[in-house]
Amino acid sequence: MFERVCIVGVGFMGGSFALALKERYPQCQIFGIDINHSAISKALELKTIDGGSTQIKDTLRFDPQLVVIATPVGTFEEIAKALAQLDIKCVITDLGSVKGRIVYMMEEHLGGNFVGGHPIAGTEKSGVENSLKDLFKGKRCVITPTEKTSPQAKKMVKDLWQSLDALVEEMDPYLHDYIFGAVSHMPHAVAFALIDAIARLSKDGVNLFEYPGGGFKDFTRIASSDPIMWRDIFLENAENIVKAIEVFQESLDTLKSLIVSGKAYEITQYLSKAKELRDRIV
Ligand code: NAD
């Protein structure tokens, strides 16, 4: 089914996608484009890709059936413009963490052959050397077709994710950003801010980072994520993230005031409700 796929951005996600594709379609040739020469040479060395270039214009030479954009979301517009200029006719999708405005912007440049996608799978690691071939297996993958999306392009992208054992769910691009602004983007903001708070609480020769408990490590693992990727997500989904942070601040204020007023029963109620909700997550 797939013989030539081009991946723009050969980092952790692009590399994982390439490995999953190679396992499922061993005959598929994968061409990588990355502005970073060392990402291309590492990916070639690891045989994650079969060929590569730092020049997006080389996409044309490769004549792909599918282009997958796997760069930070702040680069999407320049990439869409470059692909539009090359007059690429194939289906184009992405792995970006923000959809909403981006999907409509991409469509403006690329037309109905663009299908927004966001695999709900990842880690705090970046770079092709950390790629995982089984990353998407059994994981949800949200696709965000619009009224403009070509039905054939949507089918191709949907079938591809299903063939990689992902659980595909269609969603409105703006609803996607509301949901993931709350359950993914806001928690990342909280983790980064928690590290900042611990740094500021370290004083007078006491380095609090020398005493990390299991809970602290679990909670802050995602603060090791790539700053550029998260800067772009925060800026692109700012409205939803800011609203979610405000709601979180209210929740924290409620807990703080219960602690300040020493209301043991109410604290137990608050924590029990949170535990019950957390325990329901599968
Ligand atoms: P990464 O840093 O590992 O890889 C990004 C790659 O893109 C790098 O190799 C970089 O050199 C390259 N790049 C940057 N600008 C470029 C440009 N203009 N042209 C070509 N290449 C360029 O990041 P990642 O974790 O693979 O994330 C990639 C995308 O996947 C992001 O949009 C992110 O939101 C999304 N995503 C990430 C995760 C995750 O857990 N890491 C999960 C879901 C979605």
Side-chain angles (χ1 to χ4, degrees):
M1 182 180 169
F2 289 97
E3 285 166 3
R4 293 175 316 283
V5 172
C6 178
I7 297 176
V8 183
V10 191
F12 170 72
M13 292 299 284
S16 299
F17 190 82
L19 293 178
L21 205 58
K22 271 194 174 292
E23 184 177 63
R24 179 68 181 76
Y25 303 100
Q27 83 290 357
C28 182
Q29 290 290 301
I30 301 175
F31 192 77
I33 302 281
D34 201 295
I35 44 163
N36 185 349
H37 187 267
S38 75
I40 294 292
S41 43
K42 245 182 268 167
L44 284 169
E45 199 181 299
L46 295 166
K47 299 195 183 340
T48 308
I49 55 174
D50 304 292
S53 168
T54 55
Q55 303 297 315
I56 198 149
K57 64 176 165 39
D58 290 333
T59 308
L60 208 54
R61 174 164 65 82
F62 184 64
D63 186 27
Q65 295 158 293
L66 175 73
V67 172
V68 182
I69 303 170
T71 55
V73 293
T75 64
F76 278 23
E77 186 152 19
E78 71 179 66
I79 291 169
K81 282 182 183 164
L83 291 173
Q85 249 178 13
L86 294 173
D87 203 19
I88 294 271
K89 296 277 188 248
C90 70
V91 173
I92 299 170
T93 188
D94 75 295
L95 310 181
S97 305
V98 186
K99 302 270 74 87
R101 184 198 72 87
I102 286 189
V103 167
Y104 294 97
M105 175 277 293
M106 299 296 278
E107 275 183 357
E108 252 176 56
H109 295 293
L110 302 168
N113 272 342
F114 174 77
V115 187
H118 177 200
I120 313 303
T123 72
E124 73 285 10
K125 303 268 194 314
S126 53
V128 67
E129 63 279 16
N130 290 305
S131 295
L132 302 168
K133 75 175 168 54
D134 293 333
L135 184 67
F136 310 113
K137 282 191 180 156
K139 302 285 168 50
R140 185 181 264 141
C141 178
V142 176
I143 62 165
T144 57
T146 71
E147 60 291 343
K148 226 184 180 183
T149 310
S150 124
Q152 293 86 343
K154 180 176 112 176
K155 185 174 175 348
M156 187 203 249
V157 171
K158 197 172 177 174
D159 288 352
L160 171 59
W161 279 113
Q162 279 170 344
S163 75
L164 299 181
D165 296 328
L167 311 168
V168 180
E169 183 169 338
E170 284 183 42
M171 200 180 275
D172 172 82
Y174 285 106
L175 177 62
H176 167 281
D177 287 0
Y178 171 74
I179 292 175
F180 292 97
V183 301
S184 170
H185 306 167
M186 184 266 279
H188 276 80
V190 172
F192 285 117
L194 181 62
I195 293 289
D196 176 65
I198 294 296
R200 291 191 298 121
L201 285 165
S202 295
K203 57 174 184 180
D204 301 334
V206 179
N207 179 1
L208 294 173
F209 293 102
E210 285 175 11
Y211 304 91
F216 180 70
K217 282 188 181 171
D218 282 355
F219 192 98
T220 57
R221 175 184 61 78
I222 54 178
S224 286
S225 303
D226 185 63
I228 302 296
M229 172 182 143
W230 280 97
R231 173 202 67 190
D232 284 6
I233 293 171
F234 291 161
L235 291 175
E236 193 54 55
N237 198 20
E239 207 177 307
N240 286 306
I241 296 170
V242 168
K243 272 189 207 144
I245 289 174
E246 283 166 1
V247 173
F248 175 66
Q249 282 173 324
E250 284 167 23
S251 296
L252 202 54
D253 280 345
T254 303
L255 180 58
K256 182 179 146 194
S257 57
L258 293 178
I259 295 169
V260 168
S261 52
K263 292 184 172 165
Y265 175 77
E266 285 84 351
I267 294 173
T268 312
Q269 295 285 95
Y270 183 105
L271 302 183
S272 301
K273 190 176 152 209
K275 175 175 163 45
E276 190 197 317
L277 291 170
R278 177 61 182 88
D279 287 349
R280 274 193 225 159
I281 301 174
V282 283

